[in-house]
Short mmCIF file of all heavy atoms in Angstrom, two decimals:
data_model
loop_
_atom_site.label_atom_id
_atom_site.label_comp_id
_atom_site.label_asym_id
_atom_site.label_seq_id
_atom_site.Cartn_x
_atom_site.Cartn_y
_atom_site.Cartn_z
N MET T 128 -37.03 -21.76 19.03
CA MET T 128 -36.35 -20.58 19.52
C MET T 128 -34.89 -20.56 19.04
O MET T 128 -34.34 -19.50 18.80
CB MET T 128 -36.43 -20.54 21.04
CG MET T 128 -35.87 -19.28 21.62
SD MET T 128 -36.45 -19.11 23.30
CE MET T 128 -36.59 -17.36 23.36
N ALA T 129 -34.28 -21.72 18.85
CA ALA T 129 -32.90 -21.79 18.42
C ALA T 129 -32.75 -21.34 16.97
O ALA T 129 -31.68 -20.97 16.53
CB ALA T 129 -32.37 -23.20 18.58
N ASP T 130 -33.83 -21.35 16.21
CA ASP T 130 -33.79 -20.95 14.81
C ASP T 130 -33.98 -19.46 14.61
O ASP T 130 -33.93 -18.97 13.49
CB ASP T 130 -34.87 -21.71 14.01
CG ASP T 130 -34.59 -23.20 13.95
OD1 ASP T 130 -33.41 -23.58 14.09
OD2 ASP T 130 -35.54 -23.97 13.78
N GLU T 131 -34.20 -18.71 15.66
CA GLU T 131 -34.41 -17.27 15.55
C GLU T 131 -33.12 -16.57 15.17
O GLU T 131 -32.03 -16.95 15.61
CB GLU T 131 -34.92 -16.71 16.87
CG GLU T 131 -36.32 -17.15 17.24
CD GLU T 131 -36.77 -16.53 18.54
OE1 GLU T 131 -36.23 -15.49 18.94
OE2 GLU T 131 -37.67 -17.11 19.17
N THR T 132 -33.23 -15.52 14.36
CA THR T 132 -32.05 -14.73 14.03
C THR T 132 -31.81 -13.73 15.15
O THR T 132 -32.74 -13.26 15.79
CB THR T 132 -32.27 -13.97 12.70
OG1 THR T 132 -33.41 -13.12 12.84
CG2 THR T 132 -32.45 -14.93 11.55
N PRO T 133 -30.53 -13.43 15.39
CA PRO T 133 -30.24 -12.49 16.48
C PRO T 133 -30.74 -11.09 16.12
O PRO T 133 -30.80 -10.73 14.94
CB PRO T 133 -28.73 -12.52 16.59
CG PRO T 133 -28.23 -13.14 15.36
CD PRO T 133 -29.35 -13.93 14.76
N PRO T 134 -31.09 -10.32 17.10
CA PRO T 134 -31.54 -8.95 16.86
C PRO T 134 -30.42 -8.14 16.19
O PRO T 134 -29.24 -8.43 16.37
CB PRO T 134 -31.86 -8.40 18.24
CG PRO T 134 -31.94 -9.57 19.13
CD PRO T 134 -31.14 -10.67 18.50
N PRO T 135 -30.78 -7.14 15.40
CA PRO T 135 -29.77 -6.32 14.72
C PRO T 135 -28.74 -5.72 15.67
O PRO T 135 -27.56 -5.60 15.32
CB PRO T 135 -30.58 -5.22 14.04
CG PRO T 135 -31.96 -5.78 13.91
CD PRO T 135 -32.12 -6.73 15.06
N ALA T 136 -29.15 -5.36 16.86
CA ALA T 136 -28.20 -4.77 17.82
C ALA T 136 -27.11 -5.77 18.17
O ALA T 136 -25.94 -5.40 18.29
CB ALA T 136 -28.94 -4.31 19.07
N LEU T 137 -27.46 -7.02 18.33
CA LEU T 137 -26.45 -8.04 18.65
C LEU T 137 -25.50 -8.23 17.48
O LEU T 137 -24.29 -8.42 17.67
CB LEU T 137 -27.12 -9.36 19.03
CG LEU T 137 -27.83 -9.39 20.38
CD1 LEU T 137 -28.44 -10.76 20.63
CD2 LEU T 137 -26.87 -9.05 21.50
N ASP T 138 -26.03 -8.18 16.26
CA ASP T 138 -25.16 -8.27 15.09
C ASP T 138 -24.16 -7.12 15.06
O ASP T 138 -22.97 -7.32 14.78
CB ASP T 138 -25.98 -8.26 13.79
CG ASP T 138 -26.69 -9.58 13.53
OD1 ASP T 138 -26.27 -10.61 14.09
OD2 ASP T 138 -27.67 -9.56 12.76
N ARG T 139 -24.64 -5.93 15.35
CA ARG T 139 -23.76 -4.77 15.36
C ARG T 139 -22.69 -4.90 16.44
O ARG T 139 -21.53 -4.56 16.23
CB ARG T 139 -24.57 -3.49 15.57
CG ARG T 139 -25.39 -3.12 14.34
CD ARG T 139 -26.26 -1.90 14.49
NE ARG T 139 -25.74 -0.85 15.31
CZ ARG T 139 -26.43 -0.22 16.26
NH1 ARG T 139 -27.69 -0.57 16.51
NH2 ARG T 139 -25.90 0.75 16.96
N ILE T 140 -23.08 -5.40 17.59
CA ILE T 140 -22.12 -5.60 18.69
C ILE T 140 -21.08 -6.64 18.28
O ILE T 140 -19.87 -6.43 18.49
CB ILE T 140 -22.84 -6.01 19.98
CG1 ILE T 140 -23.67 -4.84 20.52
CG2 ILE T 140 -21.85 -6.51 21.02
CD1 ILE T 140 -24.63 -5.21 21.63
N ASP T 141 -21.51 -7.73 17.67
CA ASP T 141 -20.57 -8.76 17.22
C ASP T 141 -19.59 -8.20 16.19
O ASP T 141 -18.39 -8.48 16.25
CB ASP T 141 -21.32 -9.96 16.62
CG ASP T 141 -21.98 -10.83 17.67
OD1 ASP T 141 -21.57 -10.76 18.86
OD2 ASP T 141 -22.90 -11.59 17.30
N ARG T 142 -20.08 -7.41 15.26
CA ARG T 142 -19.19 -6.81 14.25
C ARG T 142 -18.23 -5.81 14.90
O ARG T 142 -17.05 -5.76 14.54
CB ARG T 142 -20.01 -6.14 13.15
CG ARG T 142 -20.70 -7.14 12.23
CD ARG T 142 -21.27 -6.48 10.99
NE ARG T 142 -22.13 -5.34 11.26
CZ ARG T 142 -23.45 -5.39 11.43
NH1 ARG T 142 -24.08 -6.54 11.34
NH2 ARG T 142 -24.14 -4.28 11.66
N ALA T 143 -18.71 -5.07 15.87
CA ALA T 143 -17.84 -4.11 16.57
C ALA T 143 -16.74 -4.84 17.34
O ALA T 143 -15.58 -4.43 17.31
CB ALA T 143 -18.66 -3.24 17.51
N ILE T 144 -17.10 -5.92 17.99
CA ILE T 144 -16.09 -6.70 18.72
C ILE T 144 -15.06 -7.26 17.75
O ILE T 144 -13.86 -7.23 18.03
CB ILE T 144 -16.77 -7.82 19.54
CG1 ILE T 144 -17.55 -7.21 20.70
CG2 ILE T 144 -15.75 -8.84 20.04
CD1 ILE T 144 -18.44 -8.19 21.44
N ALA T 145 -15.51 -7.74 16.59
CA ALA T 145 -14.58 -8.27 15.59
C ALA T 145 -13.62 -7.17 15.11
O ALA T 145 -12.42 -7.42 14.94
CB ALA T 145 -15.36 -8.86 14.42
N ARG T 146 -14.13 -5.95 14.91
CA ARG T 146 -13.26 -4.84 14.49
C ARG T 146 -12.26 -4.50 15.58
O ARG T 146 -11.08 -4.23 15.30
CB ARG T 146 -14.10 -3.62 14.13
CG ARG T 146 -14.84 -3.74 12.83
CD ARG T 146 -15.42 -2.41 12.37
NE ARG T 146 -16.25 -1.74 13.36
CZ ARG T 146 -17.56 -1.93 13.53
NH1 ARG T 146 -18.21 -2.77 12.75
NH2 ARG T 146 -18.21 -1.25 14.45
N ILE T 147 -12.70 -4.49 16.81
CA ILE T 147 -11.80 -4.18 17.93
C ILE T 147 -10.70 -5.24 18.04
O ILE T 147 -9.52 -4.92 18.21
CB ILE T 147 -12.59 -4.07 19.25
CG1 ILE T 147 -13.47 -2.82 19.23
CG2 ILE T 147 -11.65 -4.06 20.46
CD1 ILE T 147 -14.50 -2.77 20.33
N GLU T 148 -11.08 -6.50 17.92
CA GLU T 148 -10.10 -7.58 17.99
C GLU T 148 -9.10 -7.49 16.84
O GLU T 148 -7.89 -7.70 17.03
CB GLU T 148 -10.79 -8.94 17.99
CG GLU T 148 -11.51 -9.23 19.29
CD GLU T 148 -12.37 -10.49 19.23
OE1 GLU T 148 -12.70 -10.96 18.12
OE2 GLU T 148 -12.73 -10.99 20.31
N ALA T 149 -9.57 -7.16 15.64
CA ALA T 149 -8.67 -7.01 14.49
C ALA T 149 -7.72 -5.83 14.70
O ALA T 149 -6.52 -5.94 14.39
CB ALA T 149 -9.48 -6.82 13.21
N ALA T 150 -8.22 -4.73 15.21
CA ALA T 150 -7.38 -3.57 15.46
C ALA T 150 -6.33 -3.89 16.53
O ALA T 150 -5.17 -3.48 16.41
CB ALA T 150 -8.22 -2.38 15.90
N PHE T 151 -6.73 -4.61 17.55
CA PHE T 151 -5.79 -5.00 18.61
C PHE T 151 -4.69 -5.90 18.05
O PHE T 151 -3.51 -5.71 18.36
CB PHE T 151 -6.54 -5.70 19.74
CG PHE T 151 -5.63 -6.14 20.85
CD1 PHE T 151 -5.13 -5.23 21.75
CD2 PHE T 151 -5.27 -7.47 20.99
CE1 PHE T 151 -4.29 -5.63 22.78
CE2 PHE T 151 -4.43 -7.88 22.00
CZ PHE T 151 -3.93 -6.95 22.90
N ALA T 152 -5.08 -6.85 17.20
CA ALA T 152 -4.09 -7.75 16.60
C ALA T 152 -3.11 -6.96 15.73
O ALA T 152 -1.90 -7.20 15.77
CB ALA T 152 -4.78 -8.82 15.78
N GLN T 153 -3.62 -6.00 14.97
CA GLN T 153 -2.76 -5.17 14.13
C GLN T 153 -1.80 -4.35 14.99
O GLN T 153 -0.62 -4.25 14.69
CB GLN T 153 -3.60 -4.25 13.25
CG GLN T 153 -2.80 -3.21 12.49
CD GLN T 153 -1.77 -3.81 11.56
OE1 GLN T 153 -1.94 -4.90 11.04
NE2 GLN T 153 -0.68 -3.10 11.37
N ARG T 154 -2.30 -3.78 16.06
CA ARG T 154 -1.45 -2.98 16.95
C ARG T 154 -0.37 -3.85 17.59
O ARG T 154 0.78 -3.43 17.75
CB ARG T 154 -2.30 -2.31 18.02
CG ARG T 154 -1.48 -1.44 18.96
CD ARG T 154 -2.35 -0.69 19.87
NE ARG T 154 -2.72 0.55 19.19
CZ ARG T 154 -3.30 1.56 19.78
NH1 ARG T 154 -3.63 1.47 21.04
NH2 ARG T 154 -3.58 2.65 19.12
N THR T 155 -0.73 -5.06 17.96
CA THR T 155 0.24 -5.99 18.56
C THR T 155 1.34 -6.32 17.56
O THR T 155 2.52 -6.32 17.90
CB THR T 155 -0.47 -7.27 19.04
OG1 THR T 155 -1.45 -6.91 20.02
CG2 THR T 155 0.50 -8.26 19.64
N ARG T 156 0.95 -6.59 16.31
CA ARG T 156 1.96 -6.88 15.28
C ARG T 156 2.87 -5.68 15.06
O ARG T 156 4.09 -5.84 14.92
CB ARG T 156 1.29 -7.28 13.97
CG ARG T 156 0.71 -8.69 13.98
CD ARG T 156 0.26 -9.12 12.59
NE ARG T 156 -0.79 -8.27 12.05
CZ ARG T 156 -2.08 -8.44 12.23
NH1 ARG T 156 -2.51 -9.45 12.95
NH2 ARG T 156 -2.97 -7.61 11.69
N ALA T 157 2.31 -4.49 15.03
CA ALA T 157 3.10 -3.28 14.83
C ALA T 157 4.08 -3.08 15.99
O ALA T 157 5.24 -2.70 15.78
CB ALA T 157 2.19 -2.07 14.68
N ALA T 158 3.62 -3.33 17.20
CA ALA T 158 4.50 -3.18 18.38
C ALA T 158 5.64 -4.19 18.34
O ALA T 158 6.79 -3.85 18.64
CB ALA T 158 3.68 -3.33 19.66
N GLU T 159 5.33 -5.42 17.97
CA GLU T 159 6.37 -6.45 17.89
C GLU T 159 7.40 -6.08 16.82
O GLU T 159 8.60 -6.26 17.02
CB GLU T 159 5.75 -7.81 17.60
CG GLU T 159 4.97 -8.38 18.77
CD GLU T 159 4.14 -9.60 18.41
OE1 GLU T 159 4.07 -9.95 17.20
OE2 GLU T 159 3.56 -10.20 19.32
N SER T 160 6.93 -5.54 15.71
CA SER T 160 7.83 -5.11 14.64
C SER T 160 8.72 -3.98 15.13
O SER T 160 9.92 -3.96 14.84
CB SER T 160 7.01 -4.68 13.43
OG SER T 160 7.86 -4.20 12.41
N ALA T 161 8.17 -3.05 15.86
CA ALA T 161 8.96 -1.93 16.39
C ALA T 161 10.02 -2.43 17.36
O ALA T 161 11.15 -1.93 17.36
CB ALA T 161 8.04 -0.91 17.06
N VAL T 162 9.68 -3.40 18.17
CA VAL T 162 10.65 -3.96 19.12
C VAL T 162 11.80 -4.61 18.37
O VAL T 162 12.97 -4.44 18.72
CB VAL T 162 9.95 -4.97 20.07
CG1 VAL T 162 10.97 -5.79 20.84
CG2 VAL T 162 9.02 -4.24 21.03
N GLN T 163 11.49 -5.33 17.31
CA GLN T 163 12.54 -5.98 16.52
C GLN T 163 13.43 -4.94 15.84
O GLN T 163 14.66 -5.07 15.84
CB GLN T 163 11.92 -6.91 15.48
CG GLN T 163 11.29 -8.14 16.08
CD GLN T 163 10.52 -8.96 15.06
OE1 GLN T 163 10.31 -8.54 13.93
NE2 GLN T 163 10.09 -10.14 15.48
N ARG T 164 12.82 -3.90 15.25
CA ARG T 164 13.61 -2.85 14.60
C ARG T 164 14.49 -2.14 15.63
O ARG T 164 15.64 -1.81 15.34
CB ARG T 164 12.69 -1.85 13.90
CG ARG T 164 12.04 -2.40 12.65
CD ARG T 164 11.36 -1.33 11.82
NE ARG T 164 10.55 -0.40 12.57
CZ ARG T 164 9.25 -0.53 12.84
NH1 ARG T 164 8.60 -1.59 12.40
NH2 ARG T 164 8.60 0.39 13.52
N HIS T 165 13.97 -1.92 16.82
CA HIS T 165 14.74 -1.26 17.87
C HIS T 165 15.96 -2.11 18.25
O HIS T 165 17.06 -1.58 18.44
CB HIS T 165 13.87 -1.01 19.09
CG HIS T 165 14.61 -0.42 20.24
ND1 HIS T 165 15.00 0.90 20.26
CD2 HIS T 165 15.06 -0.97 21.39
CE1 HIS T 165 15.66 1.14 21.39
NE2 HIS T 165 15.70 0.03 22.09
N ALA T 166 15.77 -3.41 18.35
CA ALA T 166 16.88 -4.30 18.70
C ALA T 166 17.98 -4.25 17.64
O ALA T 166 19.17 -4.20 17.96
CB ALA T 166 16.38 -5.73 18.90
N VAL T 167 17.59 -4.24 16.37
CA VAL T 167 18.57 -4.16 15.29
C VAL T 167 19.31 -2.82 15.35
O VAL T 167 20.54 -2.77 15.25
CB VAL T 167 17.88 -4.36 13.91
CG1 VAL T 167 18.82 -4.01 12.77
CG2 VAL T 167 17.38 -5.79 13.78
N LEU T 168 18.57 -1.74 15.52
CA LEU T 168 19.18 -0.42 15.60
C LEU T 168 20.12 -0.33 16.80
O LEU T 168 21.23 0.20 16.69
CB LEU T 168 18.11 0.66 15.69
CG LEU T 168 18.60 2.10 15.81
CD1 LEU T 168 19.47 2.47 14.61
CD2 LEU T 168 17.43 3.04 15.94
N ARG T 169 19.70 -0.87 17.91
CA ARG T 169 20.54 -0.83 19.11
C ARG T 169 21.85 -1.58 18.89
O ARG T 169 22.93 -1.11 19.27
CB ARG T 169 19.77 -1.43 20.28
CG ARG T 169 20.47 -1.32 21.60
CD ARG T 169 19.60 -1.93 22.70
NE ARG T 169 20.17 -1.69 23.98
CZ ARG T 169 19.77 -0.77 24.83
NH1 ARG T 169 18.74 -0.03 24.54
NH2 ARG T 169 20.37 -0.60 25.98
N ALA T 170 21.80 -2.73 18.23
CA ALA T 170 23.00 -3.51 17.95
C ALA T 170 23.92 -2.74 17.00
O ALA T 170 25.15 -2.71 17.19
CB ALA T 170 22.63 -4.86 17.36
N ARG T 171 23.34 -2.12 15.99
CA ARG T 171 24.15 -1.34 15.04
C ARG T 171 24.82 -0.16 15.74
O ARG T 171 25.99 0.16 15.46
CB ARG T 171 23.29 -0.84 13.90
CG ARG T 171 22.92 -1.91 12.91
CD ARG T 171 22.10 -1.32 11.79
NE ARG T 171 21.79 -2.32 10.79
CZ ARG T 171 20.98 -2.10 9.77
NH1 ARG T 171 20.41 -0.91 9.62
NH2 ARG T 171 20.74 -3.05 8.90
N MET T 172 24.08 0.50 16.61
CA MET T 172 24.65 1.64 17.33
C MET T 172 25.78 1.18 18.25
O MET T 172 26.80 1.86 18.38
CB MET T 172 23.57 2.37 18.12
CG MET T 172 22.58 3.11 17.25
SD MET T 172 23.34 4.31 16.14
CE MET T 172 24.08 5.43 17.29
N ALA T 173 25.60 0.04 18.89
CA ALA T 173 26.65 -0.49 19.77
C ALA T 173 27.90 -0.78 18.95
O ALA T 173 29.03 -0.47 19.39
CB ALA T 173 26.16 -1.74 20.48
N ASP T 174 27.73 -1.35 17.76
CA ASP T 174 28.89 -1.62 16.89
C ASP T 174 29.57 -0.31 16.50
O ASP T 174 30.81 -0.23 16.49
CB ASP T 174 28.45 -2.38 15.63
CG ASP T 174 28.03 -3.81 15.91
OD1 ASP T 174 28.37 -4.34 17.00
OD2 ASP T 174 27.36 -4.40 15.04
N ALA T 175 28.79 0.70 16.16
CA ALA T 175 29.35 1.98 15.75
C ALA T 175 30.11 2.63 16.90
O ALA T 175 31.21 3.17 16.70
CB ALA T 175 28.24 2.90 15.25
N VAL T 176 29.57 2.57 18.09
CA VAL T 176 30.25 3.16 19.25
C VAL T 176 31.55 2.41 19.54
O VAL T 176 32.58 3.03 19.83
CB VAL T 176 29.31 3.17 20.48
CG1 VAL T 176 30.07 3.50 21.75
CG2 VAL T 176 28.17 4.15 20.26
N ARG T 177 31.51 1.08 19.44
CA ARG T 177 32.74 0.30 19.64
C ARG T 177 33.80 0.69 18.61
O ARG T 177 34.98 0.84 18.94
CB ARG T 177 32.45 -1.20 19.54
CG ARG T 177 32.21 -1.86 20.88
CD ARG T 177 32.21 -3.38 20.78
NE ARG T 177 31.19 -3.89 19.88
CZ ARG T 177 29.89 -4.03 20.18
NH1 ARG T 177 29.47 -3.68 21.38
NH2 ARG T 177 29.04 -4.53 19.31
N ALA T 178 33.39 0.85 17.35
CA ALA T 178 34.33 1.24 16.30
C ALA T 178 34.92 2.61 16.60
O ALA T 178 36.13 2.83 16.43
CB ALA T 178 33.64 1.23 14.94
N LEU T 179 34.09 3.54 17.03
CA LEU T 179 34.61 4.87 17.38
C LEU T 179 35.55 4.81 18.58
O LEU T 179 36.59 5.48 18.60
CB LEU T 179 33.45 5.82 17.67
CG LEU T 179 32.66 6.29 16.45
CD1 LEU T 179 31.42 7.06 16.88
CD2 LEU T 179 33.53 7.12 15.54
N ASP T 180 35.21 3.99 19.56
CA ASP T 180 36.09 3.82 20.72
C ASP T 180 37.45 3.28 20.28
O ASP T 180 38.50 3.73 20.77
CB ASP T 180 35.47 2.87 21.74
CG ASP T 180 34.37 3.52 22.55
OD1 ASP T 180 34.27 4.77 22.55
OD2 ASP T 180 33.59 2.78 23.19
N ASP T 181 37.45 2.32 19.36
CA ASP T 181 38.71 1.76 18.85
C ASP T 181 39.54 2.83 18.14
O ASP T 181 40.75 2.92 18.33
CB ASP T 181 38.44 0.59 17.89
CG ASP T 181 37.90 -0.64 18.60
OD1 ASP T 181 37.99 -0.71 19.85
OD2 ASP T 181 37.37 -1.54 17.90
N ILE T 182 38.87 3.63 17.32
CA ILE T 182 39.57 4.69 16.60
C ILE T 182 40.17 5.70 17.59
O ILE T 182 41.33 6.09 17.47
CB ILE T 182 38.62 5.40 15.60
CG1 ILE T 182 38.28 4.45 14.46
CG2 ILE T 182 39.23 6.69 15.08
CD1 ILE T 182 37.15 4.93 13.57
N LEU T 183 39.39 6.09 18.57
CA LEU T 183 39.89 7.04 19.56
C LEU T 183 41.04 6.45 20.38
O LEU T 183 42.00 7.15 20.69
CB LEU T 183 38.76 7.49 20.49
CG LEU T 183 37.68 8.34 19.83
CD1 LEU T 183 36.51 8.56 20.80
CD2 LEU T 183 38.25 9.67 19.38
N ALA T 184 40.94 5.18 20.71
CA ALA T 184 41.99 4.54 21.50
C ALA T 184 43.29 4.47 20.69
O ALA T 184 44.36 4.70 21.24
CB ALA T 184 41.55 3.15 21.92
N ARG T 185 43.21 4.19 19.42
CA ARG T 185 44.41 4.15 18.59
C ARG T 185 44.99 5.55 18.42
O ARG T 185 46.21 5.71 18.39
CB ARG T 185 44.10 3.57 17.22
CG ARG T 185 43.99 2.06 17.25
CD ARG T 185 43.75 1.55 15.88
NE ARG T 185 42.41 2.02 15.51
CZ ARG T 185 41.69 1.54 14.52
NH1 ARG T 185 42.18 0.62 13.75
NH2 ARG T 185 40.49 2.00 14.29
N GLY T 186 44.16 6.55 18.33
CA GLY T 186 44.62 7.92 18.14
C GLY T 186 45.35 8.46 19.34
O GLY T 186 46.29 9.24 19.22
N THR T 187 44.98 8.05 20.54
CA THR T 187 45.62 8.58 21.74
C THR T 187 46.85 7.78 22.13
O THR T 187 47.65 8.24 22.91
CB THR T 187 44.63 8.57 22.93
OG1 THR T 187 44.17 7.24 23.15
CG2 THR T 187 43.47 9.51 22.67
N SER T 188 47.03 6.58 21.58
CA SER T 188 48.17 5.77 21.98
C SER T 188 49.39 6.02 21.10
O SER T 188 50.48 5.58 21.41
CB SER T 188 47.81 4.28 21.92
OG SER T 188 47.53 3.90 20.58
N ASP T 189 49.22 6.78 20.01
CA ASP T 189 50.36 7.04 19.11
C ASP T 189 51.23 8.14 19.58
O ASP T 189 51.16 8.98 20.27
CB ASP T 189 49.87 7.39 17.70
CG ASP T 189 49.31 6.16 17.00
OD1 ASP T 189 49.60 5.04 17.44
OD2 ASP T 189 48.59 6.35 16.00
#
């Protein structure tokens, strides 16, 4: 009985599960990448706002 091949339906289910797991892994990688890009963008925007604040502060103190 251990030498029997699995029914075609079980093979299809196994392949479907493998596709779902691969898609989930890809989505997870994409989400992690987006989080990293967001952090970089947020830091750059904070730097830009600080620079603008400095320019405005110098302009009003003259």
Side-chain angles (χ1 to χ4, degrees):
M128 186 163 215
D130 294 336
E131 291 181 22
T132 59
L137 289 180
D138 285 339
R139 288 178 35 227
I140 291 169
D141 285 340
R142 288 192 308 269
I144 290 171
R146 287 192 306 272
I147 291 168
E148 289 172 341
F151 179 75
Q153 172 59 30
R154 181 173 273 192
T155 300
R156 285 189 299 271
E159 289 169 354
S160 177
V162 167
Q163 290 172 351
R164 288 191 315 269
H165 177 74
V167 169
L168 179 59
R169 186 179 187 102
R171 286 181 177 173
M172 290 303 298
D174 290 343
V176 168
R177 265 192 300 281
L179 287 172
D180 283 345
D181 290 345
I182 290 169
L183 292 172
R185 282 183 293 197
T187 58
S188 65
D189 288 342

